[in-house]
Structure formats: C-alpha cells, structure tokens
Amino acid sequence: MPCPPQGGQESLRSGGAASFLLSLESEMSSVQSQQEQLSQSDPSPSPNSCSSFELIDMDAGSLYEPVSPHWFYCKIIDSKETWIPFNSEDSQQLEEAYSSGKDCNGRVVPTDGGRYDVHLGERMRYAVYWDELASEVRRCTWFYKGDKDNKYVPYSESFSQVLELMVHYQPVAGSDDWGSAPTEQGRPRTVKRGVENISVDIHCGEPLQIDHLVFVVHGIGPACDLRFRSIVQCVNDFRSVSLNLLQTHFKKAQENHQIGRVEFLPVNWHSPLHSTGVDVDLQRITLPSINRLRHFTNDTILDVFFYNSPTYCQTIVDTVASEMNRIYTLFLQRNPDFKGGVSIAGHSLGSLILFDILTNQKDSLGDIDSEKDSLNIVMDQGDTPTLEEDLKKLQLSEFFDIFEKEKVDKEALALCTDRDLQEMGIPLGPRKKILNYFSTRKNSTGINRPTLQPASGANIPKESEFCSSSNTRNGDYLDVGIGQVSVKYPRLIYKPEIFFAFGSPIGMFLTVRGLKRIDPNYRFPTCKGFFNIYHPFDPVAYRIEPMVVPGVEFEPMLIPHHKGRKRMHLELREGLTRMSMDLKNNLLGSLRMAWKSFTRAPYPALQVSETAEETEAEPESTSEKPSDVNTEETSVAVKEEVPPINVGMLNGGQRIDYVLQEKPIESFNEYLFALQSHLCYWESEDTVLLVLKEIYQTQGIFLDQPLQ
C-alpha cells in the first residue's frame, strides 16, 4: 500500500517581487563549473546573463529547512530509463547508512525483502538470487519533469546540491547539461524539491518475518505473459498481490503478529538451456522465411520437445533442481532465523518438470548414495536384486567385472542388443542367457519397477496403470516403460510441503506416456500436498482427478472469488438453469397428472374385489402425488447430501483439481480469451489467495472470514 504523502504541493515556478534572477556566464561549459559559479555568485541580475532562473517566493524571515532525500534506482523498461523509488523502509535504511559517517565503500544494504543488495559506495543495486543487470542507485532531492511522459526525473546528487530552493530556466545557448534536448533550450522547466512534491507511489515496505518460501518455475519460452515479461517480473506481481491479500484477508493474524509474509522466488531454466549452443545448431537449419515466427518457435515452442529429449531433459531437470537447491541454501544463509516450510509452484511445462522431479525423490534426506535409501516406496515383491546378484543367479558372475568396467548397470544392460554384448567380449551362450533373462523380466514385471503397496484386500491394477515413483536403476532413473524420458533426476535438499500447478498439462503428458490411471494410494515421496489450479478456458490445462477415479464423473472444486462470493454472471447462469429445471419439473408433473386422469377407467361400477383393490391402491397413488410436486426439492436435498468423493492420497485425501471463475467478459467468447487464460495466474487474486490459504492452514492460521 502506498504511504500517505508527507507534505503538500509546493509551487516552485513563481514570479513576484521576491523572485529575482541568477546569472550564469555564457562561457561555462560543464555542470561542475556551473555549480561552482552558482554557489559563489551574488543573487542579483547581471547584464551579461544568457539564461535566467527563478527563485521561490520567500519571506525574509523564513527559516531554511533541509530537504528530505529519498533513494531511487533506475530500471530499463522498454529501452527507456525509468526511476523507481525504494519503499520507505529501504530508503530510510539507505539514508541511515549514508549518514552514519562511516566509509560507504564496501557498505552493502539489503533491500526489497532481501532480494537485492545495494552497494552504497558504488551506488549500484544487484539481484541476490537470480541473474539481472545491475541498476544505478541515486540519493534524490530535486526532480524535473520529463519531456515525453511528464514523469519527474531525479537530478544527479552533485547537481541537486546547487538547486536548493531554486527553479531554473534552460540556457539559451550552451550544453545540454540541464536535462533537455537542444531544440527545447530556452523553455522553462518545472522543478520540484523533495519527493513529497511529486506524484509517485512509495510503498511502506514488506514485513521482515518470512513464514514460508515458495519456488516458482516458469513454462516454455523466456516470456511468461502477454506483455512478454520475464519470470522475475511476473513473480514480482504474484508477490505484490499476496502482500495486499494478507492485509485484507489475514488482518487479524497480522494484528496479532502471528504472520509475516510468504516469499516467492523465481527459478529460471530457459536461459541455461538455450546457452548450451543448441540455438546455434537450430539457426543453421532454420529456413529464412517467416523469420519472426520461426524464431518464436525455436525459442518457445521447441522447449516442449527439448523436455522430451534425453539430452536436454537432463539439462532442464538438473537446472531446475540445482537452482532450487542453490537458492534455498543462499536463502538460509541470509535468513538464519527462518523456521518456515518450503513449497514449489510451476506454470505450464514448469509444473510437469516439478511433477517428474517430485516422483523421483526419496523418502529419506540422508546420504544420496546410501544403498539403504535407494528405494523410496515399498516394493511389491521384495527388494530388487542388484546386477551382481542377477549374474550370480545366472551363474555368470565372472562377467560382472566387464560390465562394471563399461559402466553398465541393470537398466543399461536391459537395453543392450546381442551386438553390444558381443563387442564387450561376452560369448554367445552367456549372451543368450542374459538377453532372455532381461527380456522375460521386462515383459512380465518391468525393469526394476517399484509399485505402490496396495491396501489389504484391494485389487491390484495392471502395472502400467500405476503412477510409479522414481526409483528404477538403483533409485536414479524412472523406468522408460511408462514413457518418461530416461534421465537421472537430482535430489532436492528439502521436503516441499505443497506443490501448486498452474495451467498444467501433467494429466495429458501422463496419458500420452501410457498411464491409464493413478493408484489412489499413491503420494509423492517427499511432498504432502498437490493442487492443480487452472482457468476453465486454459487450452494447456488438464485435470488430474479423473485419472485417480476414472469411473466417476464429477466437477472440479470451484475456487471462491477473493471478495467472498461467486461472480454475478455465474450466479445468474445458475439461477436461469435452476429456473428452467423448475419449469421442466412442474410441467412434467402436470402432464403426468393429466395423463393419469385421461387413462383412468370410465366404468361406473366394478366388482367388489376390484373396488377393494382400488381403495387400497388410492392411498399409494395419493402418496405418490406429493413426490411429483416435490421432485425438485428432493433432488436438491439429495444433491446437497452427496458424499465426498475419494480422490486418493496424492493431496492427502483432499481434492486436487481447482478451477477459477471466468470473468464476465471472458464468457462471451472462450476462444478469444484462451491464450490470456493460460497466462492469467500471475495477477489472479483468487489463485494467490488459494495458495496463501493452503500454506497458512499448515501452520494453523486461517482466513478472517471463510470464503463461500
């Protein structure tokens, strides 16, 4: 939230009796010489002046009050310099460090919640957790209005020192040191003294306490939204939305000092992938026509194919895991008092990368190379024998040294052909025994395939129907039998509490890989929660729950609006649907009663036995009539009492699929807003609020008012 203004507007362009001219000699050629002249000259008109400046109206008895400085940093946005103010807390810290009297050289001040460091002596701002161009930092007291966008731009620190209580005109002839183009020299320039007199939003800063850390992994391409912004910029928006929602929806917890904030840090894998030289190789084979479209394809869409390539998939998963481990370690070094948990979030392809990494983790966070920790789930038929044990079983132990020398493990041996074994010097007889042994095992139970321990009495589905965890190849590889790329998945040095997927194609990729269903008992080895969040018009998003419960059709969980109710157009749509159902039920009930009256027997007299039967049947018919009238009420009651759906343990027994409510304008044309729907999550209050709600629930902290 922007801080309130510290003072009123002060007009610095004023004439009158108290204003007078200050002259500068025309032969001044630099700002430094102008500063010296200004500091020593007598403020009186000069006949030799070639430029003039106006001073503020001042009372003779008014006391001089020093200007309050504020610190700014410069960002290049759309190839243009933009000066952005530090929040009030960071600016105060910078000013205290500057005014401490100590040498500024080597002095480092953390800002922006610890995500940036300002090197005070260099006047430069550096990113801590990711690569980013350094930004110039300036201690600002005087500002001039820009020529194009009418935004106020700070003067340099040295130049501001000679502009105290003064407004100037541009020199008619001379250098451009006053901040305007030569064609505009001679025009008066509006100057403001102090940041409180310019129109700029200055935020109050972020809470110092960090309750939870979330790593955010991007999808395909370098741009993450329709404005072609990077993952860093999009995560900045996500973080800003979360800070606003904490103030509005967790106000009681904040007032009681129970919570601080959630830190969101971006993880970039696109740049390391495309710095491997693959772009040069692609450029050599790319056709020269439709250049921009082909460049977009190479830089963005091909990331999907890279992930399905063993070579580049290894690069991607290594980059994501190592970056998260590196940032986590650095974060703990900079925040030694941090006691919170860690969660991960992925957008689009980034969610699939995280899903594959999570399925390939181990239960224990002990020694990665420990043989005891090589299996992370219960095996269905005991421990898997090693290659040496298999060879001993085949009475071929003498060939183990050959395989060890060639670095061939069980998985690699299963992929070897007869020619490969022959080149390693294996005789014909042993070759046939080895090939037959591994071929039989692959066709029957898969290659070292670990499966989930079913509940007692539960039906065990086919092995291809399991969403198996990672540990094939002694715990290092996922079996290629389920369609996943055969790579070595790195180990995370922490256990994520929740995995959030935004606009995720996980369900589609699992289906394409040959998985028909996910075992309801399956859960991530090291992560307890999983939320699949998507926009209803997102063309890339797919559901997960139907893979867990394939025989039941049910709707996903509707994410509540952050203001506490459904969007108006959705309520209107449901109201119209309910009204049409009421009309339909009433009409059918009336037609049914009319049909019964038309088909009633016309005979006036019946036998006594028949009359008795009719008398006994009438109470039944009369008891049926109210049921016709109250059909809708009964259906509503039944609908409200539908038992909860068991969607397995992937999210600890809770629902997995969560759908956002589309905006009214989006409902007019689904296709028109399809692309935007895939990129909407960064600034979606509903998405951010769900993330915050689930994170703080793990700490026993809830919303001020439950959303409906």
Side-chain angles (χ1 to χ4, degrees):
M1 297 292 291
C3 292
Q6 301 176 2
Q9 293 291 324
E10 180 183 15
S11 175
L12 299 184
R13 296 185 57 202
S14 175
S19 59
F20 46 89
L21 298 176
L22 176 68
S23 65
L24 292 176
E25 296 184 1
S26 59
E27 53 269 7
M28 292 180 178
S29 59
S30 66
V31 174
Q32 182 64 32
S33 61
Q34 292 170 352
Q35 293 173 356
E36 295 175 356
Q37 179 68 21
L38 284 169
S39 62
Q40 299 174 2
S41 62
D42 181 80
S44 59
S46 171
N48 298 326
S49 64
C50 62
S51 58
S52 60
F53 303 83
E54 294 185 11
L55 295 180
I56 309 173
D57 287 334
M58 296 178 57
D59 294 332
S62 62
L63 297 177
Y64 170 77
E65 294 183 2
V67 63
S68 298
H70 196 92
W71 292 74
F72 282 65
Y73 62 92
C74 182
K75 294 282 289 185
I76 305 299
I77 302 177
D78 296 332
S79 302
K80 183 178 62 175
E81 289 187 354
T82 301
W83 286 91
I84 303 173
F86 285 95
N87 64 59
S88 57
E89 293 182 1
D90 290 343
S91 180
Q92 182 178 355
Q93 288 185 358
L94 290 169
E95 184 63 21
E96 290 176 354
Y98 173 82
S99 305
S100 63
K102 299 179 181 179
D103 185 11
C104 291
N105 293 327
R107 191 77 179 269
V108 178
V109 179
T111 61
D112 300 275
R115 297 181 295 275
Y116 290 88
D117 282 341
V118 172
H119 292 238
L120 210 57
E122 302 176 20
R123 292 294 199 273
M124 298 297 289
R125 173 177 176 264
Y126 297 93
V128 174
Y129 298 108
W130 55 82
D131 293 331
E132 183 179 310
L133 292 176
S135 305
E136 180 186 353
V137 174
R138 187 173 292 179
R139 181 176 181 264
C140 305
T141 54
W142 281 82
F143 306 83
Y144 67 90
K145 183 176 289 188
D147 300 320
K148 296 181 180 179
D149 54 7
N150 290 328
K151 292 184 179 179
Y152 282 92
V153 181
Y155 280 114
S156 65
E157 295 182 34
S158 59
F159 193 69
S160 296
Q161 293 176 3
V162 299
L163 295 180
E164 277 296 285
L165 303 178
M166 179 179 62
V167 174
H168 62 79
Y169 283 93
Q170 297 293 335
V172 175
S175 63
D176 191 27
D177 295 328
W178 296 94
S180 69
T183 57
E184 298 174 344
Q185 291 179 354
R187 291 174 47 192
R189 177 173 293 281
T190 304
V191 178
K192 296 289 186 180
R193 178 179 184 265
V195 71
E196 64 272 11
N197 291 314
I198 66 173
S199 177
V200 62
D201 290 335
I202 300 177
H203 298 274
C204 294
E206 304 174 10
L208 297 178
Q209 176 185 334
I210 300 177
D211 305 318
H212 203 87
L213 176 63
V214 180
F215 294 116
V216 184
V217 180
H218 65 85
I220 62 174
C224 297
D225 66 357
L226 291 177
R227 288 177 280 178
F228 298 97
R229 298 185 303 166
S230 67
I231 180 62
V232 174
Q233 295 170 303
C234 291
V235 172
N236 286 344
D237 278 352
F238 201 89
R239 186 187 306 109
S240 298
V241 174
S242 73
L243 292 174
N244 292 334
L245 290 175
L246 286 176
Q247 294 179 1
T248 57
H249 291 72
F250 293 86
K251 188 174 182 180
K252 294 180 181 178
Q254 279 196 335
E255 292 175 349
N256 296 331
H257 303 287
Q258 293 178 291
I259 64 173
R261 64 183 176 91
V262 177
E263 180 63 282
F264 297 89
L265 296 179
V267 177
N268 181 10
W269 56 265
H270 180 269
S271 298
L273 170 66
H274 287 263
S275 63
T276 59
V278 65
D279 287 354
V280 178
D281 298 334
L282 285 173
Q283 189 60 36
R284 288 200 298 264
I285 61 176
T286 301
L287 301 182
S289 59
I290 53 175
N291 182 57
R292 293 185 178 180
L293 180 58
R294 295 187 190 278
H295 175 75
F296 174 78
T297 301
N298 292 347
D299 201 37
T300 301
I301 299 179
L302 286 189
D303 286 351
V304 178
F305 298 95
F306 284 138
Y307 189 67
N308 286 294
S309 162
T311 301
Y312 296 105
C313 179
Q314 186 71 66
T315 301
I316 293 174
V317 296
D318 284 347
T319 301
V320 172
S322 63
E323 273 295 284
M324 290 194 296
N325 288 340
R326 179 190 67 83
I327 296 175
Y328 179 69
T329 303
L330 181 58
F331 178 84
L332 292 182
Q333 293 174 357
R334 295 175 63 91
N335 300 272
D337 297 329
F338 176 73
K339 303 298 182 183
V342 183
S343 294
I344 55 178
H347 176 243
S348 190
L349 183 63
S351 64
L352 177 66
I353 298 170
L354 292 177
F355 182 89
D356 290 340
I357 291 176
L358 287 179
T359 57
N360 285 272
Q361 297 300 295
K362 300 178 176 66
D363 282 335
S364 172
L365 289 179
D367 186 6
I368 297 178
D369 298 325
S370 174
E371 186 66 23
K372 295 181 180 180
D373 296 336
S374 63
L375 294 179
N376 66 339
I377 53 176
V378 181
M379 305 298 292
D380 59 334
Q381 295 183 7
D383 295 334
T384 302
T386 63
L387 175 60
E388 187 175 8
E389 293 172 345
D390 283 337
L391 292 176
K392 184 177 181 181
K393 182 178 179 180
L394 296 174
Q395 298 181 352
L396 300 175
S397 300
E398 64 270 21
F399 299 107
F400 177 73
D401 293 337
I402 298 177
F403 294 130
E404 190 175 31
K405 180 181 178 181
E406 297 291 336
K407 299 186 183 303
V408 175
D409 57 9
K410 289 184 64 174
E411 200 71 20
L413 186 57
L415 300 174
C416 288
T417 63
D418 183 79
R419 183 181 181 86
D420 296 330
L421 296 177
Q422 185 178 3
E423 291 177 352
M424 285 188 283
I426 308 298
L428 177 62
R431 292 204 307 268
K432 295 299 182 181
K433 293 175 67 175
I434 292 173
L435 292 174
N436 178 69
Y437 176 76
F438 282 98
S439 175
T440 303
R441 285 183 59 83
K442 183 176 182 179
N443 293 333
S444 60
T445 62
I447 307 172
N448 277 352
R449 171 100 39 117
T451 58
L452 303 169
Q453 181 69 35
S456 59
N459 294 327
I460 304 177
K462 294 181 180 179
E463 196 166 2
S464 62
E465 295 178 345
F466 280 112
C467 179
S468 302
S469 192
S470 60
N471 299 297
T472 61
R473 292 200 201 177
N474 293 332
D476 291 336
Y477 298 88
L478 183 67
D479 186 2
V480 294
I482 65 170
Q484 193 173 8
V485 179
S486 178
V487 298
K488 183 175 181 179
Y489 287 90
R491 186 81 171 273
L492 299 179
I493 59 177
Y494 55 86
K495 289 185 177 182
E497 293 190 3
I498 307 176
F499 168 35
F500 299 99
F502 307 140
S504 173
I506 291 175
M508 180 270 291
F509 270 87
L510 293 180
T511 302
V512 171
R513 290 172 179 176
L515 291 179
K516 296 181 179 179
R517 63 181 293 264
I518 300 174
D519 181 28
N521 295 317
Y522 176 74
R523 65 180 69 192
F524 293 122
T526 60
C527 184
K528 300 178 182 178
F530 175 36
F531 290 85
N532 182 38
I533 303 170
Y534 61 92
H535 191 283
F537 303 156
D538 189 338
V540 181
Y542 289 81
R543 292 190 63 184
I544 297 294
E545 291 174 341
M547 297 191 69
V548 182
V549 192
V552 182
E553 293 186 4
F554 54 95
E555 296 294 324
M557 292 291 291
L558 185 67
I559 299 177
H561 192 267
H562 66 282
K563 292 185 178 179
R565 59 174 296 171
K566 288 184 179 179
R567 294 185 183 271
M568 186 64 67
H569 70 287
L570 295 180
E571 291 186 348
L572 180 60
R573 183 190 305 170
E574 292 182 358
L576 293 175
T577 303
R578 192 179 302 111
M579 185 183 301
S580 64
M581 290 299 298
D582 291 343
L583 292 174
K584 179 181 177 181
N585 291 332
N586 292 335
L587 179 61
L588 290 177
S590 301
L591 291 176
R592 190 179 296 111
M593 294 178 62
W595 178 255
K596 287 182 178 180
S597 64
F598 290 150
T599 57
R600 186 175 300 168
Y603 302 104
L606 293 174
Q607 296 180 359
V608 177
S609 60
E610 294 178 350
T611 304
E613 292 176 0
E614 182 180 356
T615 305
E616 295 175 358
E618 282 182 358
E620 297 179 0
S621 63
T622 55
S623 63
E624 291 178 18
K625 292 180 182 179
S627 65
D628 294 336
V629 177
N630 298 329
T631 302
E632 194 269 340
E633 296 179 359
T634 305
S635 63
V636 171
V638 172
K639 184 177 181 180
E640 293 178 352
E641 297 176 0
V642 173
I645 301 172
N646 181 14
V647 293
M649 299 304 297
L650 195 56
N651 192 23
Q654 302 181 57
R655 295 292 301 272
I656 301 172
D657 293 335
Y658 287 78
V659 61
L660 293 167
Q661 303 179 39
E662 73 271 16
K663 298 178 181 178
I665 191 174
E666 294 173 343
S667 61
F668 286 108
N669 192 319
E670 299 177 0
Y671 296 94
L672 184 62
F673 294 94
L675 180 58
Q676 178 179 329
S677 299
H678 182 59
L679 306 172
C680 71
Y681 306 99
W682 308 116
E683 298 176 284
S684 168
E685 292 94 340
D686 299 348
T687 301
V688 178
L689 186 57
L690 176 61
V691 171
L692 293 176
K693 181 175 73 73
E694 296 301 329
I695 286 176
Y696 277 111
Q697 277 186 358
T698 63
Q699 304 177 17
I701 298 174
F702 303 91
L703 296 169
D704 292 341
Q705 294 182 351
L707 300 178
Q708 297 179 352

